[in-house]
Every structure is written in C-alpha cells, then in structure tokens.
C-alpha cells in the first residue's frame, strides 16, 4: 500500500484540482471580509464573521477533492493496472480512502485556520470569543469532516464514476441542508454532517463590555451531549461507509 500512496501523492500534488480546492477554501473563508476594515479584524472576530462560510467550506472542498482522489482512476481504467500488477484490492482501496481523508481535511483546515492565524498575528486574538473554546470547536469539526469524506468515498465506489458522484454528492448535501431548514420544530445537530458543521460554527452571541467598549461576545462552550453525539455518530457512520465501500470495491468487476 505504501507504493500506491507514494504514487498517488505525486499525482495529487501535481493535480490542478488540488490547487483549485486550496484556492476555493481560502476564497470562501475570506469572502465575508469584503468591505471590512482589515486593521480592526482580529482572529476571533474573523471567525465570528466567517462562521456560516466556515461551515459550508468543507461541504464543497471535500466533495470535489475526495471524489477526485478516489474516482479519477475509474475514468481511464488505470485502477485496473494496480490490481493486474499484483496489488491486493484492500491496498488499492484503502490507499485511496486514506489519502482522500487526509488531503480533504488538511485543505479544509488550511482554508479555515490560515486566515485566523494571519489576523491573530497582525491584530491579536481580540475579545470576541475564548481562544481555547474555539480551538476545541475546530478540533471537534474534524469528526463531521471525516464522516462527510467517508460518505463521499462510499458514493464513488458505488457509482464508479467521478461525475455522477459529484452531482449525487452535491444533491445529497443540499437535500440534508433543506431538510434541516424545513423541519424547524426539530433541531438537527449531529444528525447530518452538514448540520453538524453548521452547529459547530454557530455561536450564541451577547453584548459585553471590555476596555470601556461594547463588544459582541460569542459563546464557544458546547453541550456535552452534542459533543458526544458528534464524535459517536461521526465515527460509527465513517466506519460503516468505509467498510461498505471496501465490500463494494472488493466484489465489483473492474475489468
């Protein structure tokens, strides 16, 4: 599996889609800065302004990149060559799954955190929110991102087509968001990966008084039941998706 990972890493690093995803993640993360006085944007205030976009960012970046990594060899049938060369199907599958997860989550974190670190270095963290609490939210967001990537991986090995997976993945994500908005009487939190991310990057706000100024304070604490639900649901669903993806790939005819 190590040789497959090395070869695929080389492809990913030289793929235009990878660079597009990096630019997309940074662009989406910074899109709310239009018209802002950048000299007044702190690390904390940046997150408070970009919360909704930060939650949406993985939904697009992970879809594009994970499907690309797992499914591009289906298009030109080069995935066959690895098996014909004597590689076990397990190695072929898990090399793609691991790289899809690592690269997708890594690029999402770049888009989420690099602007935060830049504004923190220039203007400080500020008084908008607690630094430790926000970092814990970022850490928690890794779980729904893992879940989301695993679901797209399963989709690729079900359809065996990059383009169908992109369209189906986008429609599934939009459908889950629509369900969350339609049934307002029920609060979807960890139930969908999309609603999970939205909940993590949505803050209860109140007005505070710091250094003789009125300041909007964002609460970063989360209920323990939500944290537990996020972790358990993400891990269980991820394992199910990765497992079924391998079963479908193992039994599929790719000749």
């Amino acid at each position: 599996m190590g040789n497959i990972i090395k070869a695929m890493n080389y492809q990913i690093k030289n793929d235009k889609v990878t660079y597009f995803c990096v630019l997309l993640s940074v662009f989406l993360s910074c899109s709310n800065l239009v018209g802002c006085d950048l000299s007044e944007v702190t690390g904390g205030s940046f997150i408070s302004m970009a919360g909704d976009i930060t939650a949406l960012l993985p939904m697009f970046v992970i879809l594009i990149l994970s499907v690309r990594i797992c499914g591009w060899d289906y298009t030109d049938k080069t995935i066959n060559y690895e098996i014909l060369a004597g590689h076990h199907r397990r190695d072929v599958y898990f090399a793609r799954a691991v790289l899809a997860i690592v690269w997708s989550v890594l690029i999402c974190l770049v888009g989420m955190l690099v602007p935060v670190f830049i504004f923190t270095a220039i203007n400080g963290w500020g008084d908008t929110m607690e630094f430790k609490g926000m970092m814990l939210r970022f850490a928690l967001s890794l779980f729904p991102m893992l879940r989301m990537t695993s679901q797209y991986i399963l989709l690729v090995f079900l359809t065996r087509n990059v383009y169908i997976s992109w369209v189906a993945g986008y429609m599934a994500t939009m459908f889950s968001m629509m369900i969350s908005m339609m049934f307002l009487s029920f609060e979807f939190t960890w139930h969908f990966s999309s609603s999970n991310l939205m909940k993590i990057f949505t803050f209860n706000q109140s007005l505070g008084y710091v250094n003789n100024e009125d300041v909007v304070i964002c609460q970063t604490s989360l209920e323990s039941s939500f944290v537990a639900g996020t972790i358990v649901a993400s891990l269980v669903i991820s394992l199910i998706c990765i497992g079924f993806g391998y079963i479908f790939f193992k039994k599929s005819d790719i000749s």
Side-chain angles (χ1 to χ4, degrees), residues 87-147:
H87 292 289
H88 197 284
R89 286 201 181 208
R90 178 188 63 247
D91 297 336
V92 174
Y93 174 79
F94 282 103
R96 283 162 173 76
V98 168
L99 288 175
I101 292 170
V102 171
W103 275 94
S104 298
V105 173
L106 180 62
I107 290 179
C108 286
L109 289 177
V110 168
M112 290 176 174
L113 292 175
V114 168
V116 176
F117 291 151
I118 291 174
F119 283 110
T120 300
I122 296 173
N123 301 322
W125 177 254
D127 302 306
T128 305
M129 62 180 65
E130 182 187 16
F131 177 80
K132 181 180 178 181
M134 191 59 236
M135 291 303 105
L136 289 175
R137 286 200 180 214
F138 275 117
L140 187 64
S141 71
L142 294 175
F143 290 95
M145 284 194 283
L146 168 64
R147 172 181 172 182

Side-chain angles (χ1 to χ4, degrees), residues 158-180:
L158 274 175
T159 63
R160 292 185 285 176
N161 186 289
V162 172
Y163 305 104
I164 293 176
S165 298
W166 273 334
V167 173
Y170 176 80
M171 292 179 64
T173 301
M174 293 300 105
F175 179 75
S176 68
M177 294 179 66
M178 183 176 66
I179 292 294
S180 300

Side-chain angles (χ1 to χ4, degrees), residues 19-92:
Y19 292 98
F20 170 77
C21 287
V22 173
L23 293 175
L24 177 63
S25 64
V26 174
F27 171 77
L28 290 175
S29 184
C30 297
S31 60
N32 279 0
L33 292 175
V34 177
C36 294
D37 183 355
L38 299 184
S39 63
E40 296 181 357
V41 178
T42 63
S45 63
F46 172 82
I47 297 173
S48 67
M49 290 187 296
D52 291 342
I53 298 298
T54 303
L56 290 172
L57 185 156
M59 301 179 198
F60 295 102
V61 173
I62 291 177
L63 171 62
I64 296 171
L65 193 59
S66 63
V67 169
R68 173 71 169 179
I69 292 172
C70 289
W72 61 3
D73 289 334
Y74 272 117
T75 304
D76 56 12
K77 304 297 183 180
T78 53
I79 196 171
N80 299 3
Y81 303 155
E82 295 176 7
I83 297 175
L84 293 174
H87 292 289
H88 197 284
R89 286 201 181 208
R90 178 188 63 247
D91 297 336
V92 174

